[in-house]
Amino acid sequence: MSLAGLVSALIADDGGADWTRRVPARLETTLAALPFAARAGVRAAARGMDAYAVVRTGRTLSALTAPERESVLAELAARPGLQPLLDVLKVPVLMAAGTERMLQDGPSPRAVPRADPPLDLTPASDWPARSTADAVVIGSGAGGATAARTLARAGLDVVVLEEGRHHSTESFGRRPPLDRFTELYRDGGATVAVGAPPLLLPVGRAVGGTTVVNSGTCYRTPDRVLNRWSKDFGFTLADGFDRYLDEAERALKVAVQPLDVLGDNGRLTLAGARELGWRAAPLRRNAPGCRGSCQCVVGCPTGAKQSVQLSVLPDACAAGARIVTGARAERVLVDADRPGGPRAAGVRVRRDGAGFEILAPLVVVAAGALQSPQLLRRSGLGRHPRLGHNLSVHPATSVAGRFAEPVTAWKGVLQSVGVEEHHSRGVLIEATATPPGMGSFVLPGLGAELRRELEGADRLATLGAMIADRPSGRVLGRDRTLLRYDLDRRDAGRLMHAVRAMGELLFAAGAEEVLTGIPATPRVRSLAELDTVLAGTSARQLHLTAYHPTGTVAAGADPQRCPADPEGRLRGVRGVLVADASALPSCPQVNPQVSIMAAALAITEAHTGR
């Protein structure tokens, strides 16, 4: 079925612009990268809208005039319960529309990227059927890269397994951001946690893991979090965390983002915070020489952002580590008959055709908080009752402010300013834009109204807020990514507080109106009006996303509570370390890359005795 009718209805395509005619094809390409369920859902919704149009008018959406399509949309939006569904349906359509609208002016000038440092890479198809190593590290993200570097520098023969592909900096500059988005993220960026409410939880899949597609923001773990990890969980490695945090920051070349490339999105945030007397400052980031391309989350096209494939993994390879790409770890091999109890014996890897085995006495599980529990279950190591539980995700919501003058938020640093005024209450606000052509999902309305919003998107400044959540989720299953997350009542209150705070800041910065992200009342023109709206709104009506899953194989002293011991050793088997976000006992309350790297460094150094 053609998606042209859906597109023409949602963005009021009257045939007057060339770029709108290309949107259906772009949408088809985007949907092709999504999981079957997501593709089927969009197509089913499109068929349903077409069927409704036929019942009401005798014709499909694509055969209607623009006013007739507008009338059909208005009827659908007025039906109870359909507005949230229409908002979900808008996301892929508007991302496709935003991309084509961006491309109508021709390609942007391409910056000359830095040369990537060398890596020792071998495709899984070229790896021998059986080999040996001293250690196998599963995953090449923040934790896996750090573990590999530490072990290789200690003299071990290390093999790193990465399910995704390697992408060079030069390759990022050749394609539009949306095309990279669907390739660099697991499930095309459509990983969803089912619950009340459901939330989108995109995670990276590439050499470098999610560090390739994160914002580049580098917070140190707050002292209050480290104290809790040590005292409440018995994760005693947190007691000396400063040394490990220092090393992570050195490896990533972390520094305060200079003002000259913040962009107007960040500058307006600073202005609003000054007006209110709130604590705010440019963020510390791992991007020396950043040029403000606003593409951090789809692969930095200049090489300024020091994702671990540009910083930590080259050091690991220089020390002898090897990386196998396109290699999905099927299970950890275990020798159950060893004296002293079961012990790791290596890893079995899936690839096209026959799999292969790497025999090793040490296996480091660093596949991420969503994949590590499933791998351990596939390996027969998932018997601990809390494995896969304790999932925190750092839920986030966004608010936008419309200004009289252009902001062009996608020109400048993607995540530029941190507002810590409410951080003691578990709310961290960050000035966060989106890559060119990909920011349209915050826009309200349908049809002609949505088209006007799309064409005026350059006057929007956008903020995001993350809340330090209780561990309300769990990872299910063994193979497919199955997640359940139910927002805790106290965390719902924090989200509502976050929306109010972001609205207050935007009005203080001079916004004419604020786009709330609340379907029933998408825009307000004063703080008093926002207060009235929030008084009648539930957090479950917000559009929620999350980017920082942690805690699903928590490390700590209590053997009933924590699947891994205080030094990251998986309980019930020798020779298996957990060195990724899943080992963090609770939400770190900040962007977690530096915390993950510090934990991985502490865990692997404890193993090597350094």
Side-chain angles (χ1 to χ4, degrees):
M1 182 205 70
S2 170
L3 296 171
L6 173 67
V7 169
S8 61
L10 288 181
I11 64 170
D13 179 16
D14 58 6
D18 288 340
W19 65 267
T20 59
R21 290 194 287 272
R22 298 191 296 270
V23 175
R26 175 71 61 179
L27 179 59
E28 290 277 8
T29 302
T30 301
L31 292 180
L34 301 183
F36 172 78
R39 294 197 307 272
V42 172
R43 294 186 185 282
R47 284 194 295 270
M49 290 176 67
D50 250 351
Y52 184 83
V54 169
V55 169
R56 297 294 294 163
T57 70
R59 289 168 291 158
T60 62
L61 283 171
S62 58
L64 299 179
T65 65
E68 288 171 332
R69 287 195 295 265
E70 198 81 8
S71 177
V72 168
L73 278 181
E75 290 180 17
L76 287 170
R79 289 178 170 265
L82 275 188
Q83 184 63 55
L85 176 62
L86 290 171
D87 280 349
V88 170
L89 199 58
K90 283 193 302 188
V91 174
V93 172
L94 283 175
M95 291 177 82
T99 296
E100 289 302 334
R101 188 168 182 272
M102 174 193 69
L103 293 174
Q104 72 173 334
D105 297 326
S108 301
R110 285 177 57 185
V112 178
R114 305 173 188 179
D116 292 352
L119 296 172
D120 187 333
L121 300 165
T122 302
S125 57
D126 294 341
W127 197 261
R130 176 164 288 197
S131 60
T132 61
D134 295 326
V136 178
V137 178
I138 303 170
S140 68
T146 303
R149 184 180 74 159
T150 307
L151 296 173
R153 284 179 167 178
L156 277 66
D157 177 19
V158 177
V159 176
V160 180
L161 300 175
E162 171 53 53
E163 183 179 4
R165 292 175 43 222
H166 174 255
H167 300 265
S168 68
T169 297
E170 191 275 334
S171 73
F172 293 145
R174 293 199 301 259
R175 292 173 297 158
L178 180 57
D179 291 353
R180 284 138 57 192
F181 177 82
T182 54
E183 184 172 346
L184 288 167
Y185 287 80
R186 183 176 296 277
D187 296 330
T191 302
V192 174
V194 176
L199 53 81
L200 192 66
L201 213 170
V203 291
R205 185 175 65 174
V207 173
T210 298
T211 75
V212 179
V213 293
N214 69 12
S215 64
T217 296
C218 292
Y219 272 101
R220 294 172 72 92
T221 321
D223 287 344
R224 62 180 177 274
V225 174
L226 294 175
N227 290 336
R228 180 168 183 248
W229 287 355
S230 178
K231 293 177 181 178
D232 293 356
F233 289 89
F235 182 53
T236 50
L237 292 176
D239 293 337
F241 229 54
D242 278 348
R243 176 169 72 87
Y244 304 118
L245 293 169
D246 289 344
E247 174 55 30
E249 288 189 325
R250 278 193 295 271
L252 297 174
K253 302 177 182 176
V254 174
V256 175
Q257 183 62 53
L259 292 172
D260 60 340
V261 291
L262 280 189
D264 286 342
N265 200 55
R267 284 189 279 270
L268 285 168
T269 302
L270 289 174
R274 280 195 302 271
E275 182 70 19
L276 295 169
W278 288 2
R279 287 174 293 131
L283 288 164
R284 291 172 58 79
R285 303 181 68 248
N286 62 337
C290 173
R291 303 177 194 176
S293 65
C294 198
Q295 298 182 45
C296 308
V297 296
V298 286
C300 176
T302 69
K305 190 182 80 168
Q306 294 297 289
S307 309
V308 295
Q309 87 279 9
L310 301 181
S311 52
V312 181
L313 285 172
D315 290 346
C317 291
R322 295 165 289 166
I323 303 169
V324 187
T325 62
R328 184 175 191 267
E330 191 171 84
R331 61 188 175 93
V332 177
L333 301 174
V334 176
D335 184 348
D337 299 323
R338 291 286 293 271
R343 183 178 184 90
V347 179
R348 179 166 180 78
V349 180
R350 183 187 304 173
R351 63 181 173 190
D352 293 338
F356 61 86
E357 293 181 350
I358 304 176
L359 304 182
L362 175 64
V363 174
V364 180
V365 176
L370 305 185
Q371 302 301 317
S372 287
Q374 294 185 321
L375 168 64
L376 293 173
R377 289 186 184 121
R378 292 197 300 272
S379 306
L381 300 173
R383 296 184 180 89
H384 193 283
R386 297 296 297 168
L387 184 82
H389 290 251
N390 195 53
L391 173 65
S392 291
V393 298
H394 222 180
T397 192
S398 297
V399 167
R402 186 179 304 285
F403 289 79
E405 299 298 325
V407 178
T408 319
W410 54 88
K411 291 185 178 180
V413 177
L414 182 138
Q415 196 166 80
S416 54
V417 170
V419 182
E420 299 188 15
E421 186 68 22
H422 303 268
H423 203 195
S424 62
R425 297 187 59 172
V427 175
L428 179 59
I429 297 172
E430 293 170 333
T432 306
T434 48
M438 291 182 60
S440 306
F441 63 89
V442 301
L443 302 179
L446 295 166
E449 179 187 3
L450 183 56
R451 177 69 171 270
R452 288 192 296 271
E453 294 283 357
L454 179 63
E455 293 177 347
D458 62 337
R459 294 197 294 123
L460 295 179
T462 55
L463 300 176
M466 301 176 293
I467 60 115
D469 60 326
R470 296 172 61 81
S472 303
R474 62 188 188 274
V475 178
L476 307 169
R478 297 158 51 96
D479 294 298
R480 292 180 54 220
T481 305
L482 299 173
L483 310 173
R484 177 79 195 190
Y485 184 88
D486 293 299
L487 187 68
D488 183 88
R489 177 179 54 81
R490 285 160 289 189
D491 295 334
R494 289 192 183 100
L495 280 166
M496 301 308 291
H497 177 82
V499 172
R500 205 267 183 191
M502 289 189 287
E504 184 177 8
L505 191 151
L506 288 165
F507 280 126
E512 296 177 331
E513 67 176 6
V514 164
L515 306 185
T516 64
I518 300 168
T521 317
R523 52 173 61 81
V524 295
R525 298 189 65 84
S526 70
L527 188 58
E529 187 181 356
L530 178 60
D531 285 336
T532 300
V533 168
L534 293 178
T537 301
S538 161
R540 288 174 170 78
Q541 296 172 257
L542 302 176
H543 297 302
L544 299 185
T545 55
Y547 305 95
H548 305 150
T550 57
T552 52
V553 196
D558 186 347
Q560 302 303 313
R561 185 183 188 188
C562 299
D565 76 7
E567 294 188 346
R569 295 178 294 234
L570 186 69
R571 288 188 160 95
V573 62
R574 292 180 297 155
V576 177
L577 301 179
V578 182
D580 60 9
S582 62
L584 302 184
S586 68
C587 176
Q589 302 187 13
V590 291
N591 303 60
Q593 179 176 348
V594 173
S595 300
I596 296 166
M597 291 177 65
L601 179 59
I603 288 166
T604 46
E605 281 198 358
H607 176 81
T608 60
R610 292 179 63 186

